[in-house]
Amino acid sequence: MAEAHQAVAFQFTVTPEGLDFHLSREAVRQLYLAGISSWKKRLVRAKNSFLTGVYPASPSSWMVVVMATAGSFYCQVDPSLGLIARIRHCLPESPLLSAESRTVVSVTVFSTGVWLSAVLIFRQLLKLLLSYHGWMFEPHGKMSRSTKIWVALMKLLSVRKPLLYSFQTSLPKLPVPSVQATVTRYLESVRPLMDDEKYGKMQALAKEFRDQTAPRLQKYLILKSWWTTNYVSDWWEEYIYLRGRSPLMVNSNYYAMDFLYVTPSHVQAARAGNTVHAMLLYRRKLDRGEIPPMMALGIVPMCSYQSERMFNTTRIPGKETDTLLHLVDSKHLAVYHRGRFYKVWLYYGGQLLPPCDLQLQFQRILDDPSPPQPGEQHLAALTAGDRVPWAEARARFFSQGKNKVALDAIERAAFFLTLDEEEHGYVEGREGCMDAYAKSLLHGQCYDRWFDKSFTLVVYKNGKLGANAEHSWADAPIVGHLWEFMLATDKFQLGYTEEGNCKGQPNTALAPPQRLQWDLPEECRAAIEGSLRVARALAQDVDFNCFQFSAFGKGLIKRCRTSPDAFIQIALQLAHFRDKGCFCLTYEASMTRLFREGRTETVRSCTAEATAFVRSMGDPRHSRSERQKLFQLAATKHQQLYRLAMTGAGIDRHLFCLYVVSRYLGVRSPFLDQVLSEPWRLSTSQTPQQQLKMFDLAEHPDHVSTGGGFGPVSTGGH
């Protein structure tokens, strides 16, 4: 392979006659091709960065402005009101510039200034339009006149096809809610969970906080919102994710599953070859910004910031806080199989390896009979245990020598691939198969996934796929977007031969994958086994029940004029009450990506309206029509809360940031202490489906994805 030969492209030896030079023609050729590819990539990035920077304008619009100004000027009409003449007068004297050339330069400078001013005005207008969220609160199927005008203006300003980051600087900032509104909504959310005595105490704490403590904290938070892009996201990433000292496995990382009914190829190396290649195609589009941004209603863009760290990213452990290592590019992949680690180059001659070449490389790994080195098999358990022991072991045993070189190969890889020895997936009639599949993706054997990587791709022996993703850099919908692209590209674009192999003829001259070398002393192996014990205890404590439900879907729920999300959330409340005999604080994640660098907000699904409906279902005195009315009230309330959360008027992120400010200022608030200590007994979320329209699910219903999930958020929780 080119990268393997680069080290010997140029050699020399000292002889009695002088220096003897040796050049490898093939290696030099590969170096040349790699350099050409690198410069092409830089030029494409530069071009797309420029197009993103001037959106919604375009270079052609600049040409129109220049031509129009020049035409007017030469027709004795001066649109600049004398500015062109003044610019011409200020140009330095030069024999190279004739009078006509000076005029052309002056017209071009003036036109460019006009064009840039128009770009700034249009971007500010776009930002103003994107700050309007009235469309979200209007009844389904109805649209006010103001919203119709807003839609027309949005379509007018977005007529040009946007790139991934075209709208980033036009997105509004997340607003800071008023303390009064947040406290009122909080008290409303906990009323169904407290008796009169507890609620009275909470009201008193809330009043004291609102009137005395909060005003000072709120001022600092508003000041932060002026100076930062998003007043929540940096603190959320640091304090909720990076400062967590408990294991990432189960507690933080989440998983994604393959097609439910279809396995495009049962050849493990071939499925790995196609999926890795598809992911690298996605990365190339991501690097160039060529992926269209996600759009609500087809015209409202969502923030794309989280996508930036999807590849080439690793969470680095620290004693007090972790950090995220993100590289602009990475040309290799880290692979684990049967206790061994490998480095696989992804390029040859500056070009991505085709799927057939990747299949060859992965098959070489599968056929490698060499045993693991001492301590190597369970090495990844360090990423599955507590963070402090991993940070200490990393600093002590992996800071120099071959261990540092090997660890760098993993942490600087594009992503991590596990060629799993097990077989998983849905098998009709086999009880518990989905439970085992989900648990395998959530924690595996506790030593066969690198939980610190942005994501680990898992390819099972029977060709089934899955992924385990680290949570700090982004939320599940971001990985879901990549996952949908990969599945569709794998099945409908790349395809397989009749034997299940990747299409094309592999290059057998490629150098084999590089086996990573370790020197793990006894103390390091003891640390590895200690982390493995912690991880196994955590994995064994997780009960999982994953099943398919095909009686009806969201289509039927929508025909009943009900939000599918509200339906599921109310059903969960009913199920939990019938199981436990009580209600609990319930977490549902909503996104705030309508704002720049927005991530998530909490929807508190256990409302007074929902609990009233749930109680009516167990009370024979309520008629069916009465229950239907209570259900509609509960669904309407839930939709309202979800919309408030999406538009920046949620409860929990505001209270969280007020708490962080209070800690910085050394101010203690019994109200905030109480709020942030309340456990979420029921935590729910959903992975969006069909974010991309790469194939029609109605025509291919057997290609539905199983989605994904995460572990319980509290001991004894769900």
Side-chain angles (χ1 to χ4, degrees):
M1 147 172 325
E3 289 80 359
H5 291 297
Q6 287 172 10
V8 294
F10 173 78
Q11 292 183 338
F12 68 90
T13 55
V14 180
T15 67
E17 290 76 21
L19 293 176
D20 184 17
F21 293 94
H22 298 279
L23 288 174
S24 168
R25 182 178 298 178
E26 175 61 18
V28 171
R29 176 177 171 272
Q30 296 301 329
L31 285 170
Y32 168 76
L33 292 174
I36 293 295
S37 176
S38 177
W39 275 104
K40 284 182 178 178
K41 185 183 296 185
R42 292 180 187 179
L43 289 174
V44 170
R45 284 177 179 170
K47 182 196 75 171
N48 288 339
S49 295
F50 173 74
L51 294 176
T52 295
V54 301
Y55 188 87
S58 65
S60 59
S61 65
W62 172 78
M63 287 294 298
V64 170
V65 173
V66 172
M67 297 292 289
T69 305
S72 299
F73 191 77
Y74 284 103
C75 290
Q76 308 302 317
V77 178
D78 185 3
S80 71
L81 302 178
L83 278 177
I84 292 177
R86 298 186 68 176
I87 294 172
R88 183 173 54 190
H89 178 72
C90 293
L91 289 176
E93 295 289 342
S94 172
L96 299 176
L97 284 177
S98 63
E100 187 173 341
S101 299
R102 293 167 67 87
T103 301
V104 170
V105 172
S106 303
V107 168
T108 303
V109 170
F110 171 77
S111 302
T112 302
V114 170
W115 180 72
L116 289 175
S117 300
V119 168
L120 292 174
I121 292 171
F122 280 129
R123 291 182 77 87
Q124 288 303 312
L125 179 58
L126 190 57
K127 190 170 188 176
L128 185 64
L129 290 172
L130 291 174
S131 299
Y132 173 75
H133 299 122
W135 57 273
M136 193 176 293
F137 295 91
E138 294 183 348
H140 183 69
K142 297 181 180 180
M143 189 179 293
S144 65
R145 181 180 298 176
S146 58
T147 298
K148 289 179 180 178
I149 295 172
W150 170 79
V151 168
L153 290 172
M154 281 297 303
K155 288 182 177 179
L156 183 65
L157 285 177
S158 307
V159 66
R160 214 181 114 227
K161 184 179 178 181
L163 297 173
L164 181 62
Y165 301 114
S166 292
F167 292 101
Q168 281 302 99
T169 55
S170 298
L171 289 172
K173 288 187 176 184
L174 184 69
V176 181
S178 70
V179 172
Q180 175 67 45
T182 297
V183 170
T184 300
R185 292 190 187 112
Y186 170 78
L187 290 174
E188 182 183 354
S189 73
V190 297
R191 186 65 187 95
L193 306 173
M194 296 180 175
D195 56 31
D196 292 343
E197 182 181 355
K198 287 184 178 179
Y199 184 69
K201 292 180 180 178
M202 181 55 74
Q203 276 185 311
L205 289 175
K207 185 177 184 303
E208 184 275 335
F209 171 75
R210 182 193 62 204
D211 296 341
Q212 298 181 29
T213 310
R216 182 186 176 199
L217 305 181
Q218 180 79 345
K219 289 177 182 177
Y220 280 94
L221 201 56
I222 291 173
L223 182 63
K224 187 197 177 194
S225 73
W226 291 346
W227 285 100
T228 59
T229 309
N230 188 296
Y231 81 93
V232 175
S233 293
D234 56 343
W235 284 349
W236 187 254
E237 180 177 299
E238 180 179 358
Y239 293 107
I240 299 301
Y241 292 117
L242 297 180
R243 283 186 179 266
R245 302 294 82 197
S246 58
L248 303 184
M249 187 194 78
V250 175
N251 295 321
S252 179
N253 286 25
Y254 55 93
Y255 67 87
M257 287 178 159
D258 198 359
F259 292 126
L260 178 59
Y261 303 109
V262 173
T263 305
S265 173
H266 292 283
V267 180
Q268 185 178 17
R271 192 80 200 280
N274 258 14
T275 53
V276 168
H277 184 77
M279 286 181 166
L280 294 173
L281 292 178
Y282 186 93
R283 184 178 73 163
R284 184 164 65 187
K285 287 178 173 287
L286 190 65
D287 287 345
R288 297 175 175 179
E290 294 173 349
I291 300 171
M294 290 300 302
M295 308 283 276
L297 297 181
I299 57 172
V300 185
M302 297 184 190
C303 180
S304 302
Y305 164 74
Q306 295 180 57
S307 299
E308 294 179 2
R309 297 180 290 182
M310 184 177 296
F311 295 93
N312 327 321
T313 299
T314 304
R315 180 166 170 171
I316 306 298
K319 291 185 179 180
E320 295 184 358
T321 182
D322 294 351
T323 55
L324 286 175
L325 170 69
H326 173 68
L327 306 176
V328 175
D329 196 12
S330 177
K331 296 186 177 182
H332 71 274
L333 186 70
V335 182
Y336 176 91
H337 174 249
R338 214 174 62 201
R340 293 90 46 86
F341 291 87
Y342 298 84
K343 180 178 182 179
V344 177
W345 291 102
L346 300 171
Y347 292 82
Y348 183 77
Q351 300 297 316
L352 278 176
L353 290 183
C356 57
D357 285 353
L358 289 168
Q359 177 183 351
L360 171 66
Q361 297 295 65
F362 298 144
Q363 191 61 52
R364 286 171 168 174
I365 292 174
L366 293 173
D367 295 339
D368 183 1
S370 63
Q373 299 161 74
E376 182 182 17
Q377 182 174 11
H378 296 163
L379 174 62
L382 289 169
T383 70
D386 291 320
R387 303 304 290 172
V388 173
W390 172 208
E392 292 173 344
R394 188 178 187 277
R396 184 178 177 188
F397 303 112
F398 298 90
S399 59
Q400 59 184 354
K402 62 172 65 175
N403 288 347
K404 184 180 188 307
V405 172
L407 183 62
D408 281 347
I410 295 174
E411 293 181 339
R412 294 175 175 269
F415 55 93
F416 194 83
L417 168 65
T418 294
L419 296 172
D420 206 294
E421 298 178 85
E422 297 182 345
E423 295 187 1
H424 282 291
Y426 172 69
V427 179
E428 189 173 1
R430 182 185 295 176
E431 187 176 353
C433 61
M434 293 300 291
D435 303 349
Y437 183 22
K439 276 181 68 68
S440 174
L441 291 174
L442 186 64
H443 53 67
Q445 300 292 331
C446 303
Y447 57 78
D448 51 359
R449 285 93 173 96
W450 199 270
F451 293 100
D452 287 357
K453 287 299 291 182
S454 54
F455 65 91
T456 295
L457 173 65
V458 182
V459 183
Y460 293 103
K461 194 173 183 179
N462 59 345
K464 213 66 182 173
L465 289 179
N468 182 286
E470 202 276 314
H471 211 327
S472 65
W473 63 273
D475 302 308
I478 307 301
V479 172
H481 196 276
L482 161 70
W483 201 247
E484 286 186 28
F485 178 93
M486 178 273 294
L487 290 177
T489 303
D490 168 36
K491 179 63 171 66
F492 296 100
Q493 295 184 15
L494 299 176
Y496 299 88
T497 65
E498 292 183 1
E499 296 78 20
N501 294 312
C502 297
K503 295 179 179 178
Q505 290 297 320
N507 178 10
T508 55
L510 288 175
Q514 177 185 341
R515 179 79 184 273
L516 299 185
Q517 300 298 313
W518 309 92
D519 181 14
L520 306 174
E522 192 62 41
E523 297 93 331
C524 182
R525 285 180 244 167
I528 293 171
E529 294 304 315
S531 290
L532 182 59
R533 284 192 296 272
V534 171
R536 280 177 170 165
L538 179 59
Q540 291 166 4
D541 194 40
V542 175
D543 275 337
F544 214 106
N545 188 4
C546 181
F547 60 94
Q548 60 179 130
F549 179 82
S550 56
F552 60 88
K554 66 179 181 181
L556 176 62
I557 299 172
K558 287 181 177 179
R559 287 197 293 274
C560 296
R561 297 183 179 180
T562 301
S563 158
D565 176 62
F567 178 91
I568 293 297
Q569 290 297 323
I570 296 168
L572 286 170
Q573 292 299 321
L574 176 59
H576 184 272
F577 185 79
R578 286 179 172 177
D579 181 45
K580 302 293 184 181
C582 63
F583 297 103
C584 69
L585 197 61
T586 305
Y587 181 106
E588 181 191 5
S590 79
M591 64 90 178
T592 55
R593 288 171 61 202
L594 296 175
F595 303 94
R596 192 171 178 185
E597 295 186 15
R599 290 198 59 162
T600 61
E601 177 57 275
T602 304
V603 180
R604 292 174 169 242
S605 303
C606 187
T607 61
E609 290 80 0
T611 57
F613 164 74
V614 169
R615 293 187 190 281
S616 74
M617 292 296 289
D619 189 347
R621 293 173 297 178
H622 284 81
S623 66
R624 180 169 181 156
S625 62
E626 289 175 331
R627 290 169 178 167
Q628 286 178 331
K629 290 179 181 177
L630 289 171
F631 176 83
Q632 287 298 333
L633 288 173
T636 301
K637 180 64 175 181
H638 182 82
Q639 284 181 276
Q640 177 72 5
L641 291 178
Y642 203 96
R643 290 163 178 162
L644 287 171
M646 287 184 66
T647 53
I651 300 169
D652 290 274
R653 300 300 179 268
H654 186 204
L655 291 176
F656 161 75
C657 288
L658 290 172
Y659 177 77
V660 174
V661 174
S662 73
R663 294 299 299 269
Y664 278 133
L665 297 178
V667 176
R668 184 178 178 276
S669 168
F671 172 74
L672 290 176
D673 290 343
Q674 177 70 21
V675 170
L676 272 76
S677 65
E678 293 169 343
W680 301 96
R681 299 294 183 191
L682 184 59
S683 184
T684 70
S685 188
Q686 67 283 330
T687 304
Q689 298 284 332
Q690 292 289 286
Q691 296 184 73
L692 297 168
K693 305 297 180 184
M694 294 182 67
F695 69 94
D696 189 349
L697 195 57
E699 293 182 8
H700 305 277
D702 54 340
H703 286 71
V704 63
S705 174
T706 321
F710 52 91
V713 296
S714 66
T715 304
H718 302 274

